[in-house]
Every structure is written in C-alpha cells, then in structure tokens.
Amino acid sequence: MSLVVAATTAAVSLVTATPVLAASSGARQAAPAAPAASRAPIPLPIPLPLPLLDHRSEGAGIPDLDDFTRTVPAPAHLPAHDHLTVTVTGSGSATSDGTFTLRCHPAGGNHPDAKGACAQLDKETRWGKDAFAPVPERAKCTMIYGSAATAHVTGRWAGRPVDAHFRRTNGCEIERWRRFEPLLPRPTS
C-alpha cells in the first residue's frame, strides 16, 4: 500500500468515524448520517511512471538527463537562409587556406566538405544559445599552443547573424576550433 493511499484511507476513516464518536459522547446529532456510499474513500489519481531518459535515448530526439542542464538541439529543417563565409589563414595547407562559402539545407557552396560542415553545425546548434560564441574571458584554459591558424566566419546561421573569430592559441580555443571541424580545417602545422 502506498503512502498516499494509506494517508487518504486514514483521513477518510477519521472523517467517517466522527458521527460515531459524537453519538457515543452524548452529543445530539442534528442530521442523519450520510449514506455509506458517500463515506467511501475518494479515489486519488495514481501518478504514472515517467520514462527514464538515459544515454540509450541519444539520437532518438529525446534529451538525456544531462540535457536538462543544457538546451534541446535545434531541428535540422531550419530556414534555407543558412549561409556562411569562412576565411582561413595559417593552417599549413594551401588547399585549406582561403575563403570558402557554405550553404546548408541543402548543403552547397565551394566549401571542401559542405555536407560534413553542415552536419557538424546542426550538431552544435542549440536553441537559445550562440553556437559561435567565443570562449568566455575568465575561462581557465591550458597554455597549449595549437598553431598559427586563424579563421573568420561570417553570414547567417539558424536565423542569427554570425561574425566569429577562431584561433588556436590555448586549450580552450583549440577545443572550440575542433568542435567546428570540418567547417574549419584540421591544421597541419
């Protein structure tokens, strides 16, 4: 017997026993006792168990427990106005350095891996969050130098204007760059 049912039964028993107690104490009863059917316990709705959300729900469109501290991913069918211009310098590869255009939904432009870049951007996009936000100023980052590579990304993504700068000057910036590969090339230097 659950705690809720036990508490409800006890409360109803106390209420239905009150006329009997009053009659036994010699108090005058003003009205006849209510019919037995109205003294029956009031059924309470039983809460249904909610499904547990865990790592097995990943990819099914259902957030796992960690997602309650984050936001839900944006759907892949965003407006067709997603377009970015990516300018890369110092990557150590003549084919990676330069300016590339990228359109998504559907993937297009002269970016070397437009389909992969669009898929990674969709993965990084969260409603209410700026996917291209810089590393916070007070972030504690390892002092690891990644390379001289820099990138500048401009355009529109998920309905928002984008003007983001990327570099690989410390551990936080390197990780931010890696989150955007293959939009940004993997540096060779």
Side-chain angles (χ1 to χ4, degrees):
M1 183 183 293
S2 75
L3 184 59
V4 172
V5 173
T8 304
T9 304
V12 170
S13 297
L14 181 61
V15 169
T16 56
T18 304
V20 173
L21 292 174
S24 65
S25 66
R28 259 185 136 184
Q29 200 169 1
S38 67
R39 286 188 267 156
I42 301 169
L44 295 176
I46 299 172
L48 298 175
L50 295 175
L52 293 177
L53 304 175
D54 60 14
H55 67 280
R56 291 172 289 195
S57 64
E58 192 171 302
I62 301 171
D64 62 19
L65 293 176
D66 292 334
D67 283 337
F68 289 109
T69 60
R70 290 182 247 142
T71 54
V72 179
H77 59 282
L78 295 174
H81 303 294
D82 293 336
H83 64 280
L84 298 171
T85 301
V86 182
T87 303
V88 179
T89 60
S91 70
S93 169
T95 58
S96 295
D97 285 353
T99 301
F100 305 96
T101 58
L102 175 69
R103 286 185 313 279
C104 295
H105 312 112
N110 68 347
H111 189 280
D113 186 5
K115 189 174 180 180
C118 290
Q120 183 62 26
L121 285 168
D122 284 339
K123 181 179 172 186
E124 290 297 319
T125 302
R126 307 273 186 224
W127 286 114
K129 300 288 183 181
D130 181 4
F132 294 90
V135 172
E137 285 183 31
R138 295 189 176 259
K140 294 181 182 356
C141 304
T142 58
M143 298 307 295
I144 299 173
Y145 182 74
S147 71
T150 62
H152 185 207
V153 180
T154 58
R156 287 191 80 71
W157 182 255
R160 291 181 166 192
V162 174
D163 186 6
H165 294 271
F166 293 83
R167 57 186 192 269
R168 298 176 53 85
T169 55
N170 62 45
C172 296
E173 294 287 353
I174 292 169
E175 179 56 31
R176 181 174 175 244
W177 183 292
R178 283 185 187 156
R179 280 192 355 249
F180 284 93
E181 291 175 3
L183 173 68
L184 305 178
R186 186 175 302 239
T188 58
S189 62

